[in-house]
Amino acid sequence: MASRQQAKKKPPRKRAATRKAPAVKRSASVALTSGIHLDQDFLTTVFNVARIGICLTDENGYFVEVNPAFCELFGYTSTELVRAPGMPGARPFLDFVHADDRSLVFANHLRRIRGEPITAYYPFRIVDKAQRVRWLEINAVLLKWKNRRTTLSFLLDVTERTALQQELRQGLIEREAILDNSLVGIAFLDAENRVKWNNRMFEQIYGTTRGELIGRHAEFAFPTHDDYIAFGRAAGQTIAAGGVYEKELPMQRQDGTRFSAFVSGKAIDNADLDKGIVWVVRDVTRRITLQRELSQTLLEREAILQSTLVGITFSVNRRHLWLNQTLARMLGYEVADLIGQLSVIHFPDQPSFDALGAAAYPMLASGQPYSTEAQMKRKDGSLVWCQVYGNAIDAHDLIKGTIWTFVDISERKRAEAEIHRALEKERELNELKSRFVAMTSHEFRTPLATILSSSELLEQYSEKLTANDKKEMFESIRAGVERMAKMLDDVLMIGRAEAHMVEFNPAPLNLAEFCERLVDETRRTKSSAHALAFSFDGPRRQVVMDEKLLRHALTNLLTNALKYSPDGGTIEFNARLADSIAEFDVVDHGIGIPAEDQARLFESFHRAGNVGTIAGTGLGLAIVKKSVDLQRGSISFNSRVGKGTRFTVAIPLS
Ligand code: ATP
Ligand code: MG
């Protein structure tokens, strides 16, 4: 073996090995403890060229010989290692051993010395010259060397292998940790469907204690044996075909309670199902409950939205994406008719649609709700008044949609109109009252004054008055009374008509004869300056008409014609009877009606501006209009001032 002097020269390892050979030759053979003798040269060669580190240490562990491979392992030269105890720098083998492994190495050394059995090769760590930790595997034998008790050690560098092993172990530990802490239950079942391994969550899901499931048959997880069989059959097919079997199914915990599980399984090796199957289980009870609750809530919401009396729509770009039945009904459509439609479909026209959009969207974009009253068009074309209220889902992004509510306010509008009409009526009545007061103060005074003066004259000058004078005076009193009575009749008639107390009572009537009677009566009252021309066109047959109302209408028209033709002339009265209608014309050539008065002609107490001193209360035409309306007829006229007037009345036959 290499002496210290030789080592000092620091020869290259190879050469050192060849030169070391003669040193070994000093004895012909080496006696191993086992008593086997080996050829010295052979041993030297092995010692020098072996890729395994070999060292010979004395009783105290100091190096006696080291081979080049050993030097390489430790990073020191043989000179640095092989130093007699007590020499400067002399270090025993144990000194190079990693602090954590020293007790192990020493303990094994002692066992070896005591002849106790130890593992042939065991690993430990050393710290080399570069302070790197290296894993070595050592096998040592006790050896008598030059009468000294030495130890021959064989050292194999297993750093790389150990690192790989450690990496692998670490990897496995990590993987195990991951699997163990996974939020899903994982189990590995063997060919007999017994649990070979499972993670913590798997135990949590089934409510078992740690390790309790190992070796258990998978059937424990199923509510019944049949469930297990059915599942196994279905899963087996998919898994055997190399697929992943997934299913949501009821499973059973250890305590017998049921839960919904989502299970997926896959074979470790598709080609050999006996290698086992990995099962992943998730408890989806919560999810299913949530889903159920959610759909229940959605159903309830939908029901609320559908049953509300308010029409609601969710629209994007003015297109209905969702709407409730109330709105559809309000607009006379089915919900399905409107989904996807532009809302212009239920606006009265394009301009009203555009106007609402132009007013609403800038407001919605500014984050304010929009509200208006608008008319919407039903499917049948009729209009409905709605209170429209709009709100944006996100004011900054109207494309996310807008919510619109519609309340049918037709009733309110009707009521408003009703109130408006009532107020109008009230106003009219007030006006009527004041006109009545004005009229009576004027029109009643005249006949009253006549009656008064005539009666005074009769009282005071009774003797001096001739019979003719007296007759004239009585005549004027009678005329005054008649005029007042007629005025009272008219006022009463109008009052009753306004109060809807005049009824339409049609009865059989010979129209031609009725007209002739009327003409006769009129002729008797007319002045000699007037002529009354009458014609009747049509069959002289019975019709069913309200004689009283007809008389009111025609008498007033004829009276007016005579009264407003102060210069006399011919008055025409033409009656025509057809199958379902009777028509009457009353034509005069009198003063006519100024255009500005024509619109208000049928109002009570209204008199045209050109009447001059012609007496009248302004009630006649109002009575005509009422009686024509009651007979569901119509009245029209045309008139030119100074030329004359034509009134036409048409009455449908009942
Ligand atoms: P009353 O008929 O109550 O005695 P009146 O004749 O003035 O009074 P209406 O018969 O209601 O009232 O007629 C209303 C007004 O219409 C008249 O005051 C008159 O100005 C105008 N008028 C009606 N008929 C004619 C006619 N034929 N020609 C010209 N003006 C007429
Ligand atoms: Mg009149």
Side-chain angles (χ1 to χ4, degrees):
M1 294 255 165
S3 70
R4 239 165 278 137
Q5 283 78 6
Q6 280 172 326
K8 262 181 198 164
K9 289 177 193 161
K10 293 183 187 162
R13 264 175 204 144
K14 273 265 177 214
R15 281 175 57 214
T18 41
R19 264 196 274 153
K20 270 182 232 154
V24 178
K25 264 191 173 171
R26 273 176 279 166
S27 78
S29 64
V30 173
L32 297 174
T33 41
S34 54
I36 301 164
H37 292 263
L38 288 175
D39 171 65
Q40 187 72 42
D41 282 346
F42 172 70
L43 284 175
T44 308
T45 310
V46 169
F47 184 81
N48 284 325
V49 302
R51 294 307 299 149
I52 192 165
I54 305 171
C55 73
L56 193 69
T57 46
D58 66 13
E59 286 168 300
N60 299 316
Y62 286 92
F63 293 106
V64 179
E65 288 290 346
V66 291
N67 79 339
F70 187 93
C71 293
E72 211 173 308
L73 275 179
F74 281 66
Y76 293 92
T77 61
S78 58
T79 323
E80 285 169 317
L81 294 170
V82 183
R83 288 187 183 168
M87 275 190 60
R91 291 168 69 194
F93 184 95
L94 219 50
D95 218 33
F96 296 88
V97 174
H98 189 281
D100 292 350
D101 291 346
R102 255 171 229 160
S103 56
L104 167 82
V105 173
F106 188 62
N108 279 341
H109 176 66
L110 290 180
R111 289 166 73 88
R112 200 175 293 117
I113 288 171
R114 286 198 292 266
E116 290 169 17
I118 53 164
T119 338
Y121 274 94
Y122 72 91
F124 71 99
R125 283 163 291 178
I126 58 144
V127 179
D128 71 4
K129 194 176 181 182
Q131 294 301 306
R132 276 182 314 219
V133 173
R134 310 199 73 137
W135 277 95
L136 302 182
E137 235 173 36
I138 185 167
N139 181 22
V141 287
L142 297 174
L143 188 73
K144 264 239 161 65
W145 173 256
K146 295 177 183 170
N147 281 333
R148 289 165 70 183
R149 288 161 65 87
T150 59
T151 309
L152 179 65
S153 305
F154 300 91
L155 295 135
L156 201 60
D157 186 355
V158 293
T159 311
E160 225 165 275
R161 200 188 75 198
T162 312
L164 273 174
Q165 269 176 348
Q166 257 182 344
E167 218 170 278
L168 191 66
R169 195 173 307 129
Q170 188 57 32
L172 284 174
I173 289 170
E174 282 167 6
R175 222 147 285 174
E176 171 113 4
I178 292 168
L179 290 175
D180 221 19
N181 294 308
S182 168
L183 290 175
V184 292
I186 305 169
F188 174 42
L189 267 59
D190 66 12
E192 263 124 46
N193 281 337
R194 287 183 190 281
V195 179
K196 231 176 145 180
W197 176 91
N198 66 265
N199 72 349
R200 241 176 258 274
M201 184 48 93
F202 194 80
E203 288 159 350
Q204 262 176 40
I205 290 174
Y206 290 99
T208 58
T209 53
R210 191 84 184 118
E212 189 187 337
L213 290 172
I214 304 295
R216 282 274 288 281
H217 194 270
E219 196 178 327
F220 79 90
F222 294 84
T224 68
H225 175 72
D226 290 348
D227 289 339
Y228 165 72
I229 297 293
F231 178 83
R233 200 171 296 135
Q237 279 175 0
T238 310
I239 292 171
V244 175
Y245 182 74
E246 289 181 330
K247 189 164 171 58
E248 204 167 280
L249 75 162
M251 290 203 115
Q252 183 169 274
R253 293 195 183 85
Q254 189 75 346
D255 63 6
T257 55
R258 302 276 168 90
F259 69 98
S260 301
F262 181 81
V263 178
S264 64
K266 189 175 186 328
I268 295 273
D269 181 353
N270 296 333
D272 183 4
L273 293 186
D274 283 353
K275 284 189 181 155
I277 295 168
V278 174
W279 287 100
V280 174
V281 181
R282 268 189 299 149
D283 183 345
V284 291
T285 315
R286 180 93 189 106
R287 196 199 73 205
I288 287 179
T289 326
L290 276 177
Q291 257 174 2
R292 221 172 277 149
E293 278 172 11
L294 186 69
S295 64
Q296 183 60 31
T297 318
L298 286 177
L299 277 177
E300 284 167 4
R301 291 270 154 85
E302 179 81 11
I304 292 169
L305 290 175
Q306 289 297 4
S307 60
T308 173
L309 291 173
V310 177
I312 305 171
T313 171
F314 168 61
S315 66
V316 172
N317 275 336
R318 308 199 74 182
R319 207 175 276 283
H320 294 290
L321 294 194
W322 177 93
L323 64 132
N324 69 352
Q325 274 161 13
T326 316
L327 180 61
R329 259 200 309 270
M330 201 182 285
L331 300 171
Y333 287 92
E334 292 295 322
V335 170
D337 295 342
L338 290 174
I339 298 278
Q341 293 280 0
L342 273 178
S343 58
V344 69
I345 188 174
H346 54 73
F347 274 76
D349 48 29
Q350 186 71 35
S352 64
F353 170 77
D354 294 341
L356 189 134
Y361 282 88
M363 271 192 91
L364 297 182
S366 73
Q368 282 173 288
Y370 173 77
S371 173
T372 190
E373 283 176 9
Q375 274 189 310
M376 293 292 141
K377 194 177 72 186
R378 289 208 187 86
K379 194 179 180 183
D380 64 9
S382 62
L383 296 176
V384 53
W385 270 105
C386 291
Q387 171 75 47
V388 181
Y389 184 86
N391 224 339
I393 298 272
D394 179 354
H396 304 296
D397 190 4
L398 292 183
I399 216 77
K400 285 187 184 156
T402 44
I403 304 282
W404 295 88
T405 57
F406 291 77
V407 179
D408 183 345
I409 52 165
S410 310
E411 263 322 303
R412 202 192 80 201
K413 281 278 172 189
R414 250 195 297 280
E416 270 176 14
E418 201 65 49
I419 290 169
H420 191 75
R421 262 198 299 278
L423 284 173
E424 189 60 25
K425 189 122 224 135
E426 178 92 10
R427 196 187 58 77
E428 273 172 21
L429 275 173
N430 277 334
E431 207 181 302
L432 202 69
K433 255 193 254 167
S434 52
R435 272 195 255 147
F436 176 71
V437 171
M439 184 277 289
T440 43
S441 60
H442 178 255
E443 291 300 318
F444 270 71
R445 256 177 231 285
T446 319
L448 273 176
T450 315
I451 293 166
L452 191 63
S453 63
S454 300
S455 57
E456 276 173 1
L457 284 172
L458 282 168
E459 192 182 52
Q460 287 173 18
Y461 306 104
S462 175
E463 268 95 85
K464 293 176 194 160
L465 291 171
T466 63
N468 220 17
D469 288 340
K470 281 183 189 168
K471 195 189 168 206
E472 243 177 61
M473 273 167 202
F474 280 121
E475 195 56 41
S476 64
I477 289 172
R478 202 177 52 84
V481 170
E482 267 177 13
R483 196 169 151 194
M484 283 171 70
K486 191 214 169 239
M487 272 193 276
L488 276 175
D489 278 349
D490 285 355
V491 167
L492 282 174
M493 171 71 182
I494 279 291
R496 280 173 47 233
E498 295 278 359
H500 304 289
M501 284 164 68
V502 181
E503 279 175 11
F504 174 47
N505 288 318
L509 169 77
N510 188 308
L511 191 62
E513 285 172 13
F514 165 77
C515 290
E516 280 157 7
R517 274 202 303 279
L518 207 63
V519 169
D520 277 350
E521 284 166 26
T522 312
R523 278 189 181 137
R524 246 177 272 142
T525 60
K526 77 170 182 58
S527 73
S528 55
H530 292 106
L532 178 58
F534 169 63
S535 74
F536 185 87
D537 186 5
R540 297 179 66 84
R541 67 171 174 94
Q542 291 265 329
V543 290
V544 177
M545 291 186 92
D546 187 323
E547 185 182 338
K548 226 168 142 188
L549 291 176
L550 197 57
R551 178 180 286 276
H552 271 300
L554 297 176
T555 318
N556 270 304
L557 290 178
L558 287 167
T559 314
N560 279 352
L562 291 166
K563 190 160 73 170
Y564 298 108
S565 307
D567 298 337
T570 304
I571 308 298
E572 282 173 47
F573 176 40
N574 307 314
R576 290 181 297 281
L577 177 60
D579 283 350
S580 58
I581 200 161
E583 283 185 323
F584 310 91
D585 293 327
V586 177
V587 187
D588 67 56
H589 305 282
I591 61 169
I593 304 160
E596 62 270 25
D597 290 303
Q598 292 189 1
R600 304 187 58 195
L601 211 60
F602 296 109
E603 285 178 19
S604 304
F605 305 114
H606 188 85
R607 304 200 69 209
N610 61 339
V611 292
T613 57
I614 303 171
T617 55
L619 285 172
L621 282 182
I623 290 168
V624 173
K625 179 83 171 90
K626 291 265 187 254
S627 66
V628 169
D629 285 350
L630 278 166
Q631 296 173 85
R632 297 183 203 91
S634 64
I635 180 163
S636 61
F637 68 90
N638 61 67
S639 177
R640 278 170 65 198
V641 173
K643 294 283 177 202
T645 307
R646 169 190 288 265
F647 275 92
T648 302
V649 167
I651 308 286
L653 301 175
S654 41

